Amino acid sequence: MILELDCGNSFIKWRVLHADATHLVAEGVVDSDLALLDGLRGCAGLDLKHCRLVSVRTNDETAALVKALADAFGVVALCAAPSRAMSGVENGYEDFQRLGLDRWLAMLGAYHLAAGACLVLDFGTALTADFIAADGKHLGGFICPGMPLMRHQLRTHTRRIRYDDVAATRALESFAPGRNTVEAVERGCSLMLRGFVLTQLELAREYWGEGFTVFLTGGDADLVSGVVPQARVVPDLVFVGLAMACPLS
């Protein structure tokens, strides 16, 4: 079996595949290394032979997780690394090592699936947009706070804003002007996401007309899917790129 990990700033997304890498055995999202190990131990018949991961955490944090996996399951993790170019995609950053690895892998996966120009929008803790031309050149991108960061900042710095996740979900059933704080905050932040997406679409059309594919990925992609009905929603886009960056044979 193959363990794949996407280690973000806030959460670890994981999945276990059969050896042929086509059949999903188990998957989950956890908030700590310990929770990951517990989740894996709870998988019936787990027999890990390979592991590959992408991490945007510090080197020490990543090394600690790699060691924990080796100690617990006897598996050696392959870690995705920065690259100037790979699989037909050319990193567009002036210092290619400064581009977040999760963004890089999402771009690899998107270009592979689109086989042409594409716009990759990733809705995680941060919201990122990246533009890849038909010839594979990364033209650059944008980063702004995602829904979790916007919500957290308002809750943290405004004393009267207090509500739970259930109320937040319920508030997004409509986009009418909010009649209470939770509706006003959640709908306002969601509309900011939508405005960001529309701006990226305008820029992509300036580059390529209508000849490009839009990819939506990340935990909050569903919040904007209605704005881009033609987009491809690929929750595991980073994993598509991870398999390309860390082949097992």
Side-chain angles (χ1 to χ4, degrees):
M1 295 180 179
I2 305 167
L3 172 63
E4 296 184 329
L5 302 171
D6 177 5
C7 305
N9 292 303
S10 303
F11 298 100
I12 300 174
K13 185 175 183 179
W14 64 271
R15 69 180 188 179
V16 176
L17 306 174
H18 270 301
D20 60 6
T22 60
H23 181 64
L24 181 67
V25 177
E27 62 180 343
V29 179
V30 294
D31 59 3
S32 68
D33 294 359
L34 181 59
L36 171 65
L37 299 178
D38 288 343
L40 291 172
R41 291 190 183 102
C43 296
L46 186 70
D47 183 24
L48 296 180
K49 300 298 183 184
H50 303 283
C51 175
R52 53 191 172 202
L53 67 83
V54 55
S55 175
V56 297
R57 300 179 169 193
T58 67
N59 291 336
D60 288 345
E61 289 172 326
T62 303
L65 176 57
V66 169
K67 183 179 186 302
L69 291 168
D71 292 343
F73 304 105
V75 65
V76 177
L78 295 176
C79 299
S83 176
R84 169 57 70 188
M86 180 178 290
S87 300
V89 180
E90 181 181 337
N91 192 318
Y93 261 30
E94 295 173 352
D95 179 357
F96 72 90
Q97 299 186 70
R98 300 291 296 176
L99 177 68
L101 279 171
D102 51 349
R103 288 173 63 194
W104 174 237
L105 296 188
M107 286 192 290
L108 294 182
Y111 188 72
H112 171 73
L113 294 175
C118 50
L119 167 62
V120 182
L121 299 167
D122 191 339
F123 299 84
T125 303
L127 167 54
T128 62
D130 284 289
F131 298 77
I132 304 95
D135 60 2
K137 291 184 178 179
H138 174 219
L139 305 182
F142 299 96
I143 304 173
C144 71
M147 195 72 169
L149 277 178
M150 286 192 286
R151 182 186 292 127
H152 175 72
Q153 287 298 308
L154 285 170
R155 286 180 176 178
T156 301
H157 296 288
T158 308
R159 292 181 180 179
R160 292 181 179 271
I161 295 181
R162 295 289 184 273
Y163 56 86
D164 58 25
D165 292 339
V166 174
T169 300
R170 190 166 53 245
L172 290 173
E173 294 174 354
S174 166
F175 283 102
R179 300 290 296 276
N180 54 55
T181 300
V182 61
E183 290 178 355
V185 170
E186 291 297 315
R187 294 173 189 178
C189 290
S190 183
L191 288 173
M192 288 188 70
L193 295 188
R194 290 170 172 237
F196 180 88
V197 169
L198 292 173
T199 301
Q200 306 314 302
L201 290 174
E202 290 178 4
L203 182 54
R205 291 189 182 106
E206 290 179 9
Y207 282 137
W208 309 307
E210 297 297 330
F212 64 96
T213 303
V214 182
F215 288 91
L216 306 181
T217 191
D220 286 324
D222 288 342
L223 293 178
V224 299
S225 58
V227 179
V228 201
Q230 75 276 21
R232 297 180 62 175
V233 180
V234 186
D236 295 328
L237 190 57
V238 168
F239 285 142
V240 176
L242 179 61
M244 299 164 65
C246 297
L248 300 175
S249 60

